[in-house]
Amino acid sequence: MSNAAFISRFSPQRSSPEDLEAILVQREPLLRDCVEKVSNSILTANKHQQLLVGPRGAGKTHLLTLIQHRIGKNKKLKNRYYLAWLGEDDLSTSFLRLLVRIYQHLQQRYPEVFDGTALAQIFGLDAEIARAKLQQLLVERIGSKTLVLLIENLDAQLKQMSEAEQRNWRGFVQNHRIVATVASAQRLTDELTGQQHCFHGFYQVRHLMPLQVDDARAMLEKLAVLRQDLPLAEFLATSRGRARVQAIHHLAGGNPRLYVILSEFLNREGLESLVQPFEQMVDTQLTAYYQERMRWLSPQQQEIVQLLCRHRLPMAVKDIAAQLFNSQQTISSQLKLLKDLGYVAPHSVGRESHYELAEPLMRLTWQVKQNEAGKPLALLVDLLRIWFDCSELSDRLTVLPTGSQIAPYVTEALAAFERGEPNLRDEMHLFSLGLIDAELCDESELAQLQDIAEELNQPKAWMKLASAMAHHDRHDEVIDCATKVIDAELDDEELRANGFWQRIVALRNLDRNVEARADAAQLQTMRSTSIFTRLLALVLDAGSEKSDTIISGLEPLLADAKSKQERSVVLMCRAQQYINNGNYSSAVCDLSEVLEIRVTPLHVYALKLRAKCLVILGDFTGSESDATAALAVGGMSKRDEVALRALRGQIYQSTQRTDEALADFQIADSLDLGKNPLSAESSLRYFFVLATELDENGRLSSLAPSAFHRFLSRLDSESKAKYEKKDISGALGTLLFSIVENQSPIDQLALVIRKIGVELAILGWINHLGSALIHQLREWQPKSYKGEKLKRRAWLTLWQSMAQTHVELEIPVRIMQTAFALFDSGDERVLLGLPLEEREILCQALAEREAKPVTQKKLVKKPKVIVEKLGRAVRQANTGKIAKN
Amino acid sequence: MKANPGGQLAANQIIGRDQLIVRIWQILESKSIYINDLRRIGKTHVFEKMIANPPLRWIAVKRDLESCHSAQEFSAQVYRDAAQVLSGKESLKRGLDSVLAMFSGAEIGGVLRLPEGGEAVHWKIVLRRSFDAIQASIAESDDRVVFLWDEVPYMLDNIATRRGNAEAMELFDALRDLSQSYSKIRMILTGSIGLHHVLQQLRADGYHGSPLNHLQRVRVGPLTPEYGAELATLLLAGLQWPKKNIEECAKHLCSAVGNVPHYIHMISQHLHDAKAFDRATIDRVIRNVLLNHSDELDLPHYQNRIRKYYERTDLALIVLDNIAVAGTLPFEEIFNQICARLAFDDEELLRGLLKRLCDDHYLERDDASGDYRFYLALIRRWWCLSRSLTEPAS
């Protein structure tokens, strides 16, 4: 490693490879892969054609240099390849001229193999013959080795060649399998990608990504070490150092060349010798290139790019549109095109899109072009302002020699401070803060936030850090950050209140509830903070069961509410507390006021709550009206819609509007909430309407069993217990009734019945089904209608197959079988085939008076007796003590 | 194995083409072949594998012809290739020397320069005599020769541009004659662009020949899922990142890109840069390529082409949109859906359009049902993304 490393900012090829290795960041995996592929091309029949793509200063030449360096060091590759490097200014208009350049480069490196005499003989020949001869010469001289071709500016090179010449090139590579290419390009042009061009898909494209902040910092640190500037290296490792790099990052845009330039600025000795060659570099190397790039753009696009050149920070679309007196839509579509062409890069800041130059060197070039003679370049002045404090700049100025070239830059930077211009470093930090999403940031961004917060030491930064820490569950650090906000001298009470809130949540997460309540109490007294924050604190403080406490605590909030929205929120909260207390009338009053205020989306919730209160108070008309209005507005959760439709459906049903009830229940049933009491209840209600109401054709719906199945499948443990208490047998009786009485053949319903059987078995309710089957037997008594025997047989067959799966149904099915034999034959002797207990059950079931169709209201209570008897019968069967007559 | 999208592969790294190659050799027993397929599907790799290991008694000669700009150059190249490959055969050498002697031509630096003034005739005769010499040299043996000619359409396009359509037409006809006249010589023609594009241009200038009719058409197509997974597994194993569930990831990857080897290589390359691979990363990388790097594959070409070359752009777009969303559609359904959107009742026009979309590799037909679907899964997915249609489930 050299003592005073000459990192040629302008031409990595002139830097020592060891130094270039030392400062490599981010790209080691890429470099390693490229080198491996070149090696693979040299050692095997594979030939890789690679292309590195990145804007000016992205580090392409750096990588090419290191590729050359690494393959040169590899002993396995020694004497197995020849290398030719065609630089960025070496452009040819034909493949023949390209071949000549390649040969000439090879001649320089390997004169013993590629002699000049052979080449000289080709000059003056007909172009086609010369091409053929030179191809042959190269192939012969390269022999069994591989030609490693490093070629810069491939995009520009292809633009110089006609399609025919490109085909000559590609044809040579394809026919001879001796070439492995590593090329670089600033962008992917049509010649490289277009399907109509011969080089489409020919190269493996590797995009060079801009350096991230950590990479940039690491690069600067490595440069400092290389220059033996250890204090600088140590500073860069601190959080302040990291924050400084973060601030500069927006100007440098992740461009390695700019960071190399910057590193000179950070080195006092380098400053003096930097300015003039730097300006020259811009003038000679960059200006022409960027002027050419600007020429490709339309006038409107040029305006946008120039505007971005004038601004340090990314600009919002609306601001660009405003400054260019154009519509946002037009500017937005132009920005999209510019993004696709690689001129601009987008950033999301909150919900807005911001755009900045994709190539920061373009800003530099533009500044040079715009610059009046002798004035310092704005970009470099900005870099000084960000990196150095005012006092540091003053110190530097005092020690600069007379006639120093850097003095104007330092002076200009100081003048900005004196003019009272905003602190540029803080501006950059604040912008960076805006880019990081506190909820979604990863560990690396969290570390960046920390650095920025420590550097800025402003409450907003601490607040953002607290929020990010909260999302990473780092509660102790949340408390630290929030405390800094709370203790700061702040005019912004809202910010302080947010600090309290963050601290309260963190304290509760750490079970430090006493401290949390103390903060909550304090928060409630901050009358200048938002109602919402105080409301949350009140609820948190009071806990969920103390409705009276909350209701009384809401009075001052109501008095302090400044806007309709705030008042509505407080009223809604109070109404909910009234409902918790059973005080529905007061709840309706509050909700009515909320509805008068009409603040969406509270409006819908208020309607929903009032509908529920009114039905409890007996005002069915009002409740129906509210439910209808809420449903008309829409946008509510599925759960809320299910609840409202079930509520309205019940109202319709109670007022004999069956069709409307059916419609609401059907929709509620279709909105699947999974295992959920509300969902189960909706399905059950739907079932009962289907099972007991006739349709326009006078039939029962065949959808009832499916609805019942859904009811069962949606029961959770809590709702299961509830229905057990209510006696599920009645519902099962209705189910059986609906199956028998609708017009669909029974076997068509077999599948859903089997599913119901499975659900009942899971719930442990098969016994109830058995009792319902027996209870229903009287419905099967002979009525002398056509096909009744067949129908009974089908019914029996269905349940016999169910009994094979559910053993609890064996006895009921046996009883059914005997009953049907009795109905068919009329001979009571068939009863003797049953054990005594079972015979008694059957006789009791048949002796009951003929009942009307079962509805929800008319659940038969008698099945309990049958269940008990069945239970005895099962036990006796199991113990073998049945006395058979 | 290292990802190498677009590059040249060693024969043993060309996966999954053995069955196709066996079929090609079988066809060559009786006919010459025209391979027409999408760019980057692997046509050249098939050639590479064929010449690496030809069956007994077959002599394969491969040549990329895109740097030929005249029929003369082509004929000289044929002469040179014949001389090189059959260099051990004295009879061939005598035959080829007689060509030179007949026309007092000279080979200068490997380029056959024929006397001025007779080129238009001479190149045909050079071709004919070269083929005569080859045929004669192998007549007494079981040997056969196959020319694997890559980038034939580029060559014909070059000739049409530099020398005029007439010479291109003549060369087309000469190729047809050659393929039909020599029982022991076969040829396989292929290229990055379809020959039908060049033919279309020549037909506009009055060309009536049917140079492809006598050739067996073969499509290369994507790999089978098994071979796609094998290739993907080898490439993923070559990455340096932690390898978990490599086979599952390989299957997912190749399924997502429709088992096209070039795309498998390309996505593996991107996975190297992503520094990880699992199903989620694979999906993310593919989506990123489709959304942000579609220019690398020139995917917009598929839309631009419709607008540029199809008279009924509206029909073509509706057809492709509907098939992209549905996955596969029978003709009747396509017709009905168009009728539902446009005032349209011309079934024959639709059939012609669908055929053209198949020729241009947008679509293919299911062997069993005849239903239409996108030829490549990745193109279908990009089509949905770019036109804001419902993306197919991955």
Side-chain angles (χ1 to χ4, degrees):
Chain A
M1 205 178 293
S2 54
N3 277 338
F6 176 67
I7 305 294
S8 172
R9 321 121 197 150
F10 318 126
S11 177
Q13 274 181 291
R14 293 195 286 135
S15 305
S16 93
E18 289 75 21
D19 290 342
L20 293 176
E21 288 277 11
I23 65 167
L24 182 72
V25 294
Q26 188 202 67
R27 286 159 188 179
E28 177 58 39
L30 170 62
L31 175 62
R32 200 179 320 121
D33 193 56
C34 288
V35 169
E36 280 175 9
K37 287 183 174 175
V38 172
S39 304
N40 186 246
S41 300
I42 293 170
L43 296 173
T44 71
N46 294 317
K47 295 290 173 272
H48 295 261
Q49 318 297 337
Q50 304 182 74
L51 176 63
L52 306 172
V53 179
R56 290 251 162 186
K60 303 184 291 294
T61 308
H62 186 156
L63 284 177
L64 290 178
T65 308
L66 289 180
I67 290 171
Q68 178 189 239
H69 175 60
R70 288 190 184 188
I71 62 172
K73 278 172 38 179
N74 188 333
K75 291 187 181 125
K76 275 203 298 187
L77 306 178
K78 197 171 154 65
N79 296 326
R80 298 191 62 169
Y81 71 97
Y82 296 113
L83 187 140
W85 186 324
L86 307 183
E88 59 179 359
D89 296 324
D90 246 339
L91 299 179
S92 310
T93 55
S94 71
F95 179 54
L96 172 60
R97 292 204 179 83
L98 186 76
L99 285 175
V100 169
R101 281 170 52 210
I102 290 173
Y103 194 97
Q104 286 169 338
H105 280 276
L106 290 171
Q107 186 188 341
Q108 279 178 3
R109 280 178 191 255
Y110 317 99
E112 69 285 359
V113 179
F114 300 90
D115 62 287
T117 315
L119 182 62
Q121 287 171 358
I122 286 171
F123 291 131
L125 292 178
D126 172 84
E128 293 298 327
I129 294 178
R131 173 166 67 86
K133 276 193 80 70
L134 190 48
Q135 281 177 184
Q136 191 178 6
L137 179 63
L138 271 169
V139 170
E140 281 168 8
R141 296 296 164 95
I142 289 169
S144 60
K145 296 186 185 176
T146 299
L147 171 64
V148 176
L149 181 61
L150 304 183
I151 174 165
E152 297 188 75
N153 261 1
L154 181 64
D155 48 337
Q157 172 60 79
L158 290 177
K159 279 245 180 280
Q160 296 292 322
M161 282 187 174
S162 66
E163 181 70 20
E165 292 299 328
Q166 291 176 40
R167 289 176 186 174
N168 288 340
W169 183 349
R170 186 176 173 272
F172 174 75
V173 173
Q174 293 289 76
N175 279 321
H176 297 291
R177 289 186 79 113
I178 56 173
V179 181
T181 311
V182 186
S184 69
Q186 284 167 32
R187 43 194 287 268
L188 288 175
T189 56
D190 203 40
E191 285 78 12
L192 286 163
T193 59
Q195 291 214 19
Q196 72 277 26
H197 293 293
C198 64
F199 278 114
H200 165 76
F202 189 78
Y203 290 96
Q204 300 176 38
V205 175
R206 316 298 288 273
H207 293 275
L208 300 193
M209 307 310 291
L211 298 184
Q212 300 300 306
V213 174
D214 285 340
D215 303 320
R217 190 209 57 77
M219 185 178 182
L220 289 173
E221 191 179 338
K222 290 183 178 192
L223 281 164
V225 168
L226 213 51
R227 292 200 178 94
Q228 297 171 349
D229 188 348
L230 295 180
L232 177 60
E234 282 168 12
F235 173 70
L236 286 164
T238 65
S239 67
R240 282 187 68 214
R242 289 196 300 268
R244 297 283 170 93
V245 176
Q246 170 82 50
I248 284 168
H249 194 61
H250 295 300
L251 290 182
N255 186 286
R257 188 179 290 180
L258 267 181
Y259 275 107
V260 174
I261 294 169
L262 171 69
S263 72
E264 302 276 358
F265 266 87
L266 306 182
N267 178 300
R268 178 180 299 206
E269 287 72 34
L271 279 178
E272 276 306 325
S273 59
L274 176 67
V275 177
Q276 191 188 11
F278 174 72
E279 288 175 343
Q280 255 182 333
M281 179 272 290
V282 170
D283 212 21
T284 57
Q285 293 195 18
L286 298 179
T287 303
Y289 170 71
Y290 283 114
Q291 280 176 346
E292 187 60 31
R293 286 211 70 193
M294 290 294 276
R295 265 202 281 278
W296 297 336
L297 301 179
S298 70
Q300 193 170 56
Q301 290 168 344
Q302 285 185 24
E303 277 189 336
I304 294 173
V305 170
Q306 283 164 8
L307 179 65
L308 292 176
C309 283
R310 285 197 289 276
H311 282 74
R312 294 185 192 97
L313 290 173
M315 294 180 71
V317 176
K318 64 177 173 34
D319 294 332
I320 299 173
Q323 292 207 25
L324 294 179
F325 302 100
N326 214 319
S327 71
Q328 282 193 43
Q329 198 175 358
T330 305
I331 296 297
S332 190
S333 64
Q334 290 292 359
L335 283 167
K336 189 175 178 312
L337 289 170
L338 286 169
K339 172 182 159 283
D340 290 343
L341 291 170
Y343 285 82
V344 301
H347 290 287
S348 293
V349 182
R351 286 190 201 161
E352 279 191 311
S353 284
H354 285 55
Y355 284 85
E356 64 176 349
L357 290 177
E359 296 183 61
L361 284 177
M362 189 182 267
R363 175 182 292 115
L364 192 58
T365 314
W366 181 83
Q367 286 177 356
V368 167
K369 194 164 163 291
Q370 300 293 316
N371 212 19
E372 296 159 19
K375 277 200 80 176
L377 289 170
L379 178 66
L380 299 186
V381 172
D382 286 346
L383 290 171
L384 287 173
R385 284 177 64 194
I386 291 172
W387 194 262
F388 299 109
D389 296 331
C390 186
S391 57
E392 286 169 320
L393 284 172
S394 297
D395 290 344
R396 290 207 167 215
L397 195 60
T398 56
V399 300
L400 286 174
T402 315
S404 158
Q405 286 186 320
I406 199 62
Y409 287 86
V410 179
T411 305
E412 180 61 29
L414 274 171
F417 280 112
E418 282 156 18
R419 285 193 294 270
E421 284 183 20
N423 185 315
L424 195 54
R425 188 192 302 158
D426 286 356
E427 260 193 33
M428 296 292 173
H429 281 320
L430 287 169
F431 184 77
S432 297
L433 267 184
L435 287 180
I436 299 175
D437 188 325
E439 288 182 24
L440 300 174
C441 64
D442 56 24
E443 288 291 338
S444 157
E445 286 168 318
L446 187 62
Q448 282 177 30
L449 262 180
Q450 253 178 310
D451 292 338
I452 293 171
E454 283 173 26
E455 174 85 339
L456 270 178
N457 196 22
Q458 292 180 14
K460 272 192 182 157
W462 291 118
M463 194 64 238
K464 184 137 189 183
L465 182 60
S467 179
M469 288 292 185
H471 281 96
H472 282 258
D473 295 327
R474 286 158 68 162
H475 305 300
D476 287 309
E477 286 153 293
V478 172
I479 292 169
D480 289 341
C481 296
T483 303
K484 286 189 168 79
V485 175
I486 292 166
D487 293 346
E489 286 182 16
L490 273 182
D491 291 331
D492 188 345
E493 283 296 282
E494 191 63 43
L495 187 59
R496 194 193 308 281
N498 285 338
F500 269 115
W501 181 248
Q502 284 285 0
R503 197 162 75 176
I504 288 167
V505 173
L507 285 166
R508 283 177 69 94
N509 278 318
L510 294 172
D511 285 328
R512 288 158 63 174
N513 293 318
V514 171
E515 293 165 87
R517 290 193 62 173
D519 273 354
Q522 193 155 356
L523 186 57
Q524 291 173 64
T525 65
M526 293 173 68
R527 298 186 83 98
S528 56
T529 66
S530 90
I531 292 291
F532 308 119
T533 311
R534 288 165 62 190
L535 185 62
L536 285 168
L538 171 66
V539 171
L540 197 69
D541 188 27
S544 59
E545 296 174 10
K546 296 184 182 171
S547 300
D548 291 332
T549 310
I550 296 175
I551 289 170
S552 59
L554 286 170
E555 285 298 333
L557 266 62
L558 262 179
D560 291 344
K562 297 185 192 66
S563 68
K564 285 183 184 177
Q565 191 174 26
E566 288 180 356
R567 187 168 177 83
S568 296
V569 166
V570 178
L571 284 170
M572 284 287 299
C573 187
R574 194 167 73 174
Q576 184 64 64
Q577 299 307 318
Y578 280 137
I579 291 170
N580 291 348
N581 273 358
N583 186 349
Y584 297 106
S585 303
S586 300
V588 166
C589 286
D590 276 353
L591 292 169
S592 299
E593 189 180 339
V594 171
L595 288 168
E596 275 178 31
I597 296 174
R598 282 197 84 90
V599 171
T600 54
L602 294 175
H603 189 74
V604 172
Y605 292 117
L607 282 169
K608 185 190 91 166
L609 279 179
R610 196 170 74 171
K612 285 186 181 172
C613 292
L614 288 174
V615 84
I616 293 170
L617 291 172
D619 180 359
F620 293 154
T621 307
S623 177
E624 179 192 329
S625 169
D626 278 353
T628 303
L631 287 166
V633 170
M636 62 185 70
S637 68
K638 257 203 283 192
R639 186 188 162 79
D640 284 342
E641 188 176 350
V642 167
L644 273 175
R645 287 204 183 271
L647 176 75
R648 194 172 68 170
Q650 287 177 71
I651 295 173
Y652 284 144
Q653 200 176 16
S654 68
T655 52
Q656 316 302 324
R657 285 177 286 173
T658 311
D659 289 343
E660 288 99 316
L662 204 57
D664 265 346
F665 287 142
Q666 191 240 333
I667 294 173
D669 175 63
S670 70
L671 294 171
D672 187 6
L673 301 176
K675 283 196 183 296
N676 182 286
L678 186 59
S679 204
E681 176 80 17
S682 301
S683 300
L684 184 64
R685 290 189 184 281
Y686 185 40
F687 159 72
F688 273 119
V689 177
L690 290 171
T692 56
E693 300 291 342
L694 302 178
D695 64 15
E696 59 201 13
N697 297 319
R699 295 179 183 177
L700 285 179
S701 173
S702 60
L703 299 175
S706 302
F708 191 79
H709 172 248
R710 283 193 293 279
F711 154 67
L712 292 175
S713 66
R714 289 169 181 176
L715 288 172
D716 60 10
S717 51
E718 179 195 329
S719 44
K720 179 195 165 195
K722 170 183 147 190
Y723 286 106
E724 270 178 338
K725 286 182 192 168
K726 277 189 182 180
D727 187 5
I728 193 66
S729 301
L732 287 168
T734 307
L735 169 70
L736 296 176
F737 172 81
S738 73
I739 295 170
V740 172
E741 291 301 321
N742 86 64
Q743 299 300 310
S744 299
I746 290 169
D747 55 0
Q748 281 187 7
L749 300 172
L751 181 61
V752 70
I753 290 165
R754 271 196 277 279
K755 285 186 187 175
I756 289 170
V758 168
E759 295 290 344
L760 287 172
I762 292 169
L763 292 163
W765 286 351
I766 284 284
N767 281 341
H768 295 293
L769 178 61
S771 77
L773 276 173
I774 292 173
H775 178 68
Q776 202 213 20
L777 284 175
R778 64 180 184 279
E779 307 293 332
W780 290 99
Q781 293 187 90
K783 298 182 180 75
S784 304
Y785 63 87
K786 189 180 173 184
E788 70 172 282
K789 276 190 185 175
L790 280 174
K791 197 169 179 182
R792 279 200 290 271
R793 197 161 303 144
W795 189 245
L796 179 62
T797 305
L798 169 66
W799 292 106
Q800 281 171 333
S801 85
M802 287 288 284
Q804 285 173 358
T805 313
H806 305 288
V807 68
E808 300 94 326
L809 293 178
E810 274 181 11
I811 293 178
V813 170
R814 189 161 61 221
I815 294 173
M816 183 195 297
Q817 187 174 5
T818 303
F820 286 2
L822 173 64
F823 299 152
D824 288 348
S825 65
D827 184 354
E828 287 193 356
R829 285 178 294 176
V830 301
L831 294 175
L832 299 178
L834 282 177
L836 175 64
E837 186 70 22
E838 293 174 23
R839 214 182 311 142
E840 285 180 0
I841 292 170
L842 176 54
C843 291
Q844 184 166 0
L846 295 179
E848 291 184 2
R849 278 181 295 203
E850 196 165 316
K852 291 174 193 167
V854 177
T855 63
Q856 185 186 0
K857 289 182 186 170
K858 296 178 183 176
L859 293 176
V860 176
K861 293 188 173 53
K862 290 272 174 75
K864 263 193 184 172
V865 176
I866 297 176
V867 168
E868 286 165 8
K869 289 203 169 187
L870 258 180
R872 272 206 299 279
V874 168
R875 283 192 295 276
Q876 285 180 356
N878 284 344
T879 57
K881 286 178 185 172
I882 294 176
K884 291 200 176 190
N885 197 342
Chain B
M1 192 169 162
K2 284 281 186 192
N4 189 1
Q8 293 157 316
L9 295 176
N12 64 357
Q13 294 198 349
I14 299 170
I15 307 277
R17 296 303 190 189
D18 291 342
Q19 281 179 332
L20 169 67
I21 289 170
V22 165
R23 186 160 78 89
I24 288 175
W25 286 118
Q26 286 170 348
I27 295 169
L28 287 172
E29 294 287 338
S30 54
K31 274 188 163 190
S32 290
I33 292 173
Y34 169 48
I35 297 180
N36 178 31
D37 213 321
L38 269 177
R39 288 202 75 166
R40 311 254 63 102
I41 199 80
K43 304 183 285 296
T44 304
H45 285 152
V46 169
F47 277 6
E48 296 291 341
K49 195 116 183 170
M50 286 178 72
I51 61 163
N53 193 21
L56 209 56
R57 315 313 303 187
W58 275 100
I59 301 164
V61 182
K62 178 183 169 295
R63 180 61 54 191
D64 183 306
L65 295 171
E66 63 193 296
S67 53
C68 286
H69 295 271
S70 67
Q72 179 192 2
E73 273 188 70
F74 171 67
S75 64
Q77 188 63 62
V78 171
Y79 166 90
R80 225 171 15 254
D81 285 339
Q84 190 169 356
V85 171
L86 297 162
S87 57
K89 294 191 179 287
E90 274 304 311
S91 54
L92 173 67
K93 190 171 180 311
R94 284 197 298 276
L96 292 177
D97 286 345
S98 74
V99 173
L100 286 178
M102 187 184 295
F103 297 103
S104 302
E107 196 176 354
I108 302 174
V111 177
L112 185 65
R113 294 300 283 178
L114 298 171
E116 294 291 332
E119 292 167 13
V121 174
H122 290 172
W123 66 261
K124 282 189 195 174
I125 297 179
V126 168
L127 267 181
R128 176 67 68 170
R129 286 304 178 102
S130 297
F131 266 57
D132 285 343
I134 296 168
Q135 177 93 347
S137 75
I138 55 177
E140 302 304 317
S141 68
D142 293 333
D143 290 346
R144 278 173 297 180
V145 171
V146 58
F147 285 98
L148 309 177
W149 284 329
D150 203 352
E151 305 301 358
V152 171
Y154 274 160
M155 174 184 69
L156 291 166
D157 186 58
N158 291 342
I159 293 171
T161 304
R162 192 177 287 193
R163 306 278 296 181
N165 285 343
E167 186 164 312
M169 293 181 205
E170 287 188 54
L171 182 54
F172 244 134
D173 288 338
L175 288 173
R176 184 198 57 225
D177 292 342
L178 287 172
S179 70
Q180 290 176 312
S181 307
Y182 293 87
S183 60
K184 301 195 88 174
I185 305 174
R186 298 278 182 258
M187 57 185 73
I188 305 180
L189 314 184
T190 189
S192 297
I193 59 174
L195 270 173
H196 59 284
H197 293 296
V198 182
L199 264 179
Q200 202 174 357
Q201 186 184 319
L202 298 180
R203 291 207 197 290
D205 202 17
Y207 180 61
H208 298 296
S210 305
L212 304 180
N213 282 358
H214 60 293
L215 302 176
Q216 176 75 39
R217 295 191 195 218
V218 170
R219 223 179 193 185
V220 172
L223 299 176
T224 61
E226 296 73 26
Y227 282 122
E230 183 183 331
L231 174 61
T233 303
L234 287 169
L235 290 171
L236 293 181
L239 295 177
Q240 291 170 2
W241 316 123
K243 299 173 191 32
K244 250 171 67 174
N245 303 323
I246 189 170
E247 284 178 10
E248 184 201 329
C249 288
K251 280 189 186 148
H252 183 65
L253 162 56
C254 62
S255 164
V257 300
N259 297 299
V260 176
H262 178 73
Y263 298 153
I264 296 173
H265 275 267
M266 187 187 182
I267 299 301
S268 300
Q269 179 73 74
H270 279 274
L271 286 172
H272 174 276
D273 297 336
K275 299 187 184 129
F277 65 84
D278 50 31
R279 284 179 70 117
T281 307
I282 290 170
D283 288 338
R284 183 171 50 77
V285 161
I286 291 174
R287 197 177 165 84
N288 182 46
V289 166
L290 292 178
L291 286 175
N292 300 318
H293 298 289
S294 61
D295 52 347
E296 285 180 37
L297 298 167
D298 197 18
L299 294 174
H301 162 83
Y302 290 96
Q303 275 195 46
N304 298 337
R305 227 183 153 275
I306 297 286
R307 294 196 168 90
K308 199 168 170 189
Y309 295 110
Y310 282 67
E311 297 82 22
R312 288 298 304 263
T313 306
D314 55 339
L315 271 186
L317 290 177
I318 292 173
V319 166
L320 291 171
D321 283 352
N322 289 345
I323 296 176
V325 171
T328 63
L329 283 176
F331 175 83
E332 295 73 25
E333 187 57 33
I334 297 170
F335 182 73
N336 291 339
Q337 288 183 6
I338 291 174
C339 293
R341 295 213 13 211
L342 302 173
F344 180 82
D345 63 356
D346 191 340
E347 280 195 15
E348 285 312 304
L349 181 69
L350 180 59
R351 288 189 201 282
L353 172 69
L354 287 167
K355 182 179 180 315
R356 193 163 166 202
L357 287 171
C358 289
D359 287 343
D360 285 338
H361 309 301
Y362 287 86
L363 303 175
E364 64 174 359
R365 297 191 74 173
D366 182 83
D367 289 337
S369 62
D371 291 352
Y372 291 89
R373 60 182 174 224
F374 266 76
Y375 180 42
L376 294 183
L378 200 68
I379 307 301
R380 176 191 171 202
R381 187 154 170 217
W382 174 81
W383 190 271
C384 289
L385 276 172
S386 71
R387 291 179 64 76
S388 304
L389 306 171
T390 308
E391 263 188 79
S394 52

